[in-house]
Amino acid sequence: MDVPKVQPQPASRKWRLTGWLLAAVWLFFLNQPLGTALGQAEPWRKWLGVGSLVAFGVAYVLLFEWARSHRQNGRPIPRARAVVLLLGLLVLGLVGIPGTGTDWMTTLVFVATGAVFLLPGSWALVVVALAALTPLVAGYLLPSWSGVSGVFFAVLLASFAMFGVAALAQRNGELRAAQQEIGRLAVAEERARTARDLHDILGHSLTVVAIKAELAGRLVEVDPSRAATEIAEVEQLARAALADVRRTVGAYRGVRLAEEVAGARSALIAAGIAADLPADLPELPADRDQLFGWAVREGVTNVVRHSGAHRCTIRVGPDAVEISDDGRGPTSEDAATGHGLIGLRERAQRLDATVSVGRRPQGHGFVLRVGLPAGAR
């Protein structure tokens, strides 16, 4: 069975807004270079500084949101594109030097945090180290830039904080991926359940309908009254099968052992097979009663379809149910791979029961047995 693919669900509006706020909150670091740019006497320096900072801020927010979207949806961030975008941020910071002066190095805080969010750990560590050391080296080599050493601590603190934000986005993406996987598996399980139930229901009902219709065809000339009775029963079976399908689609399909034993009698007699059935049934818990009912349905269906038997025997105890016949039975391959038996085994596993299928120990015939472990309640 093909397992359906669950499309990633878009992020909620609240979370998208949160993402934008997480990106924009870092822009307060630009207040110092912005004040420097606005204080420039020469208009071209002022507007170059302000324009470069505005472009830098917008680019950073867009870059952050782009990376956050990739992380949240479980998509890998293209490394080459991330490096190019970070270099673009650095260039925008450098362009503003005539207007922002030494305060341009505040933009290194954003380059470092962007690297933490976009790049693998070792790459990000290199970028953070270079961004942190740049103001120290510049202050040592250029005495006029000695006042920017505070950027060193800003880079380290902001990078550490961004590491937490990146981890949060990563975990959120993993959580959404896990939820989608759970949803995918739930859909697959529901499809398997529906397919199993429809096979069990229609396989049995249509087998009996076919046998009764064939019997009615043979009797229509020699015993019209009994042929009419068989046709009426075919109609009842068809209506019951339709009701079963509707209940299955509605997800509340169930069987009862007593009903299945009664239906087995009718199906076996119609197929010309002598039915040796229990006169009384033990009181069973609801889940065990249902499991044994499915076992009787599957076993009798196989007897009618494949066995060529003359006699079928059903035995029901508190801990086991057994359906046997004196025919040739299905092949071992059919017994192992049949859809009905696969479904029966799946149901049995829920109660820790075992399903055994094979030849009878003595003589000809086949036996299907479903048993619970000793002491099970």
Side-chain angles (χ1 to χ4, degrees):
M1 177 184 298
D2 293 334
V3 178
K5 295 182 178 180
V6 178
Q7 297 298 327
Q9 296 298 318
S12 65
R13 182 177 180 181
K14 180 179 180 181
W15 176 246
R16 289 198 299 268
L17 179 60
T18 302
W20 287 105
L21 291 177
L22 285 173
V25 71
W26 300 100
L27 298 182
F28 77 91
F29 278 111
L30 295 178
N31 67 330
Q32 186 170 341
L34 181 61
T36 301
L38 291 174
Q40 294 289 345
E42 298 178 69
W44 73 271
R45 291 181 181 273
K46 176 190 296 185
W47 296 118
L48 177 63
V50 171
S52 65
L53 289 174
V54 171
F56 184 93
V58 172
Y60 179 79
V61 171
L62 293 176
L63 175 62
F64 184 92
E65 177 60 20
W66 172 75
R68 186 198 62 80
S69 175
H70 275 67
R71 284 181 175 272
Q72 182 179 352
N73 294 314
R75 301 194 305 268
I77 297 176
R79 189 175 303 179
R81 185 178 301 179
V83 171
V84 170
L85 293 174
L86 288 172
L87 288 174
L89 279 182
L90 180 61
V91 169
L92 286 175
L94 292 172
V95 167
I97 289 179
T100 57
T102 60
D103 289 332
W104 78 272
M105 278 190 282
T106 302
T107 60
L108 295 175
V109 175
F110 295 86
V111 175
T113 55
V116 171
F117 203 70
L118 271 70
L119 299 178
S122 57
W123 288 44
L125 184 61
V126 171
V127 175
V128 170
L130 291 175
L133 292 175
T134 295
L136 297 181
V137 174
Y140 177 77
L141 297 177
L142 301 173
S144 61
W145 286 19
S146 58
V148 296
S149 59
V151 176
F152 171 81
F153 297 101
V155 168
L156 295 182
L157 291 175
S159 298
F160 182 77
M162 182 57 74
F163 175 80
V165 174
L168 176 63
Q170 182 72 21
R171 296 296 179 269
N172 185 70
E174 292 173 355
L175 177 61
R176 293 190 67 213
Q179 290 173 337
Q180 291 166 12
E181 179 68 8
I182 291 172
R184 183 184 71 86
L185 293 176
V187 171
E189 173 62 22
E190 181 62 17
R191 285 189 176 183
R193 183 199 66 79
T194 302
R196 179 190 66 211
D197 286 356
L198 287 177
H199 171 273
D200 293 347
I201 293 166
L202 294 182
H204 175 81
S205 299
L206 295 180
T207 297
V208 178
V209 165
I211 291 173
K212 284 186 171 292
E214 181 182 358
L215 177 61
R218 295 198 304 266
L219 294 173
V220 68
E221 294 183 359
V222 297
D223 192 346
S225 176
R226 186 179 173 190
T229 301
E230 296 294 336
I231 291 298
E233 291 185 5
V234 166
E235 180 183 1
Q236 292 176 357
L237 284 169
R239 293 183 183 278
L242 179 59
D244 287 343
V245 170
R246 287 172 176 170
R247 288 199 296 271
T248 299
V249 173
Y252 56 88
R253 163 66 185 165
V255 300
R256 296 181 60 187
L257 177 59
E259 294 176 356
E260 293 306 319
V261 170
R265 184 185 303 277
S266 175
L268 291 169
I269 292 175
I273 301 173
D276 182 2
L277 308 181
D280 298 309
L281 297 174
E283 291 290 335
L284 299 173
D287 51 359
R288 192 178 307 182
D289 185 273
Q290 188 173 52
L291 174 62
F292 286 4
W294 282 115
V296 169
R297 171 175 284 230
E298 177 61 22
V300 171
T301 300
N302 287 336
V303 170
V304 171
R305 279 181 175 175
H306 309 294
S307 71
H310 299 289
R311 187 179 187 85
C312 175
T313 301
I314 298 177
R315 295 289 179 260
V316 181
D319 299 320
V321 60
E322 185 175 285
I323 303 95
S324 60
D325 64 72
D326 59 356
R328 61 181 180 274
T331 65
S332 59
E333 182 179 354
D334 291 334
T337 60
H339 291 293
L341 289 175
I342 291 174
L344 184 60
R345 288 190 175 96
E346 291 175 354
R347 292 185 175 93
Q349 287 176 356
R350 298 171 189 170
L351 299 182
D352 294 326
T354 58
V355 178
S356 58
V357 185
R359 297 285 179 181
R360 288 202 303 181
Q362 296 91 13
H364 297 287
F366 223 66
V367 59
L368 166 65
R369 185 180 189 277
V370 177
L372 280 86
R377 294 183 178 180

